[in-house]
Amino acid sequence: MLSLKLPRLLSSNQVPEGYQEQGILFGYRHPRSSATDCLLSVFQMTNETLNIWTHFVPTWYFLWHLAGSLPPRDGRAGAGAWPFLAYLLSCCLYPFASSCAHTFSTMSSRARHICYFFDYAALSTYSLGSALAYSAYIFPKEWVNSTFHYYYVPIAVFNTVVSTSLSCYSRFLEVERSRFSKASRTLAFVYPYLFDSIPLFYRFYLCAAESCTEAVIRAHYKHTALAFLTCFIFASHLPERLAPGHFDYIGHSHQVFHVCGIIGTHFQMEAIRMDMTERHDWLLATSMLPSALQTLGSMGICMAVSLTVIGLCSVSLSFMPEPSQREKLHGH
Ligand SMILES: [Zn+2]
């Protein structure tokens, strides 16, 4: 039977400090697993299994949406679809990078860091994908072609560089300053989200002031509420913090964080699609829809810089002692 050949799972005090998760006491894979063991662990119930599946399945869901939107239709009806395609691509990338990171993160300490560098870079790319779609389809009418609108995407590109750098750097602080590491990583993802959402928040404000009943605003409320819930769950480590050991395999905060994030992305995609359809003629008339070159150029810059940051951080890992070595030095 397959289950008999699967590697033994470990408790939190049997794995190095950098691998331990708050409130999760058992179900850890060996910190030096082979690639095959990591792949097999996808079918074994460990404390990472649902983290892997909750992002692997949605990757295919968003790929299905991306494939359904390709190729962009020619002519007027398909004009300006590129930012939506770039957004959908970023929606496929971040769950895919995350599921790979959760699968292979136990090969070694170095592999773990590099896996999560890619995970963070993909999340930053998603924030740029959102900014591209927001700039093209959801900007409040009063702000279209304003100075803020003009600099919105370039600032979002800059934010992805800062976000990737800060989140990757936070891993270097993980063992010695874990609270500061977690806080800086949360900030690295929250602040590009808040920046991206400025035009949306202004539309919420206008809608509240005018007591509007637009269905699209209700759709935007849904994904915004889920984004705040996702951030709260990520930062709070609930529920396992209240009952350590009870949510090791099912129901711990990271799984809930994945699920809420994906549902939020689904609502965000639907809201963007509604705005794109409802405002298409008006958007074309304002000639504000970016070309393929502008859209793909921004994504290309973001990905190239993120890969450079990952390369630099990966090289710097050589100067960081392995957690296990550190533990020996400290006599744990
Ligand atoms: Zn994750």
Side-chain angles (χ1 to χ4, degrees):
M1 273 171 65
L2 184 64
S3 60
L4 295 175
K5 294 174 187 167
L6 291 171
R8 191 171 63 89
L9 298 177
L10 307 175
S11 62
S12 63
N13 55 18
Q14 291 175 301
V15 297
E17 211 174 319
Y19 289 66
Q20 295 169 6
E21 297 290 341
Q22 187 180 3
I24 297 183
L25 306 185
F26 198 72
Y28 290 88
R29 294 170 295 173
H30 193 280
R32 288 205 166 270
S33 305
S34 66
T36 312
D37 283 346
C38 285
L39 272 176
L40 283 177
S41 76
V42 169
F43 306 102
Q44 179 187 17
M45 203 56 188
T46 75
N47 59 26
E48 286 279 22
T49 309
L50 288 185
N51 289 340
I52 298 167
W53 286 101
T54 49
H55 266 168
F56 186 70
V57 174
T59 301
W60 293 95
Y61 172 72
F62 290 114
L63 259 180
W64 175 64
H65 277 281
L66 177 63
S69 307
L70 284 174
R73 285 174 291 172
D74 292 331
R76 196 167 176 279
W82 287 101
F84 188 62
L85 294 177
Y87 164 76
L88 283 179
L89 177 66
S90 74
C91 293
C92 302
L93 279 179
Y94 91 80
F96 181 68
S98 165
S99 58
C100 290
H102 283 290
T103 304
F104 296 105
S105 61
T106 48
M107 287 181 70
S108 68
S109 176
R110 186 181 169 80
R112 182 178 181 83
H113 288 299
I114 294 172
C115 278
Y116 286 109
F117 291 159
F118 276 98
D119 185 19
Y120 304 154
L123 267 175
S124 297
T125 307
Y126 163 66
S127 81
L128 177 65
S130 305
L132 286 166
Y134 284 7
S135 171
Y137 314 117
I138 74 118
F139 247 66
K141 290 185 179 180
E142 296 82 349
W143 288 7
V144 168
N145 292 329
S146 64
T147 309
F148 176 61
H149 195 188
Y150 184 74
Y151 288 109
Y152 178 76
V153 169
I155 295 173
V157 173
F158 174 75
N159 284 348
T160 62
V161 178
V162 177
S163 170
T164 306
S165 307
L166 182 60
S167 50
C168 291
Y169 175 69
S170 75
R171 296 201 66 83
F172 290 83
L173 309 169
E174 208 166 39
V175 171
E176 274 158 6
R177 302 179 69 190
S178 65
R179 275 174 177 266
F180 183 67
S181 162
K182 179 95 178 178
S184 43
R185 199 175 306 157
T186 308
L187 177 72
F189 298 119
V190 167
Y191 106 85
Y193 172 80
L194 289 177
F195 174 80
D196 288 355
S197 302
I198 291 172
L200 196 55
F201 292 154
Y202 185 63
R203 277 182 71 188
F204 289 165
Y205 164 74
L206 288 178
C207 184
E210 295 161 6
S211 310
C212 78
T213 52
E214 282 180 77
V216 69
I217 294 291
R218 282 203 301 279
H220 280 302
Y221 277 146
K222 280 190 209 168
H223 76 80
T224 306
L226 272 155
F228 281 101
L229 180 64
T230 303
C231 177
F232 170 75
I233 291 165
F234 177 76
S236 66
H237 286 275
L238 291 171
E240 70 272 16
R241 189 178 178 166
L242 298 176
H246 285 78
F247 300 96
D248 289 354
Y249 298 96
I250 300 173
H252 62 73
S253 63
H254 205 85
Q255 295 164 5
V256 185
F257 158 72
H258 277 196
V259 172
C260 286
I262 289 297
I263 297 172
T265 306
H266 161 78
F267 284 133
Q268 184 191 36
M269 177 186 72
E270 291 303 320
I272 292 172
R273 202 198 294 274
M274 281 168 81
D275 259 333
M276 190 179 157
T277 310
E278 284 177 16
R279 303 168 115 207
H280 187 265
D281 290 341
W282 172 73
L283 291 167
L284 268 186
T286 58
S287 65
M288 58 168 278
L289 291 170
S291 64
L293 187 66
Q294 287 168 317
T295 305
L296 299 180
S298 307
M299 289 290 275
I301 292 170
C302 165
M303 287 182 184
V305 175
S306 288
L307 288 174
T308 308
V309 170
I310 291 173
L312 288 172
C313 288
S314 303
V315 170
S316 306
L317 284 174
S318 318
F319 304 107
M320 188 165 77
E322 297 249 333
S324 52
Q325 290 170 336
R326 196 190 305 250
E327 277 166 11
K328 276 180 199 163
L329 289 172
H330 289 195
H332 285 285

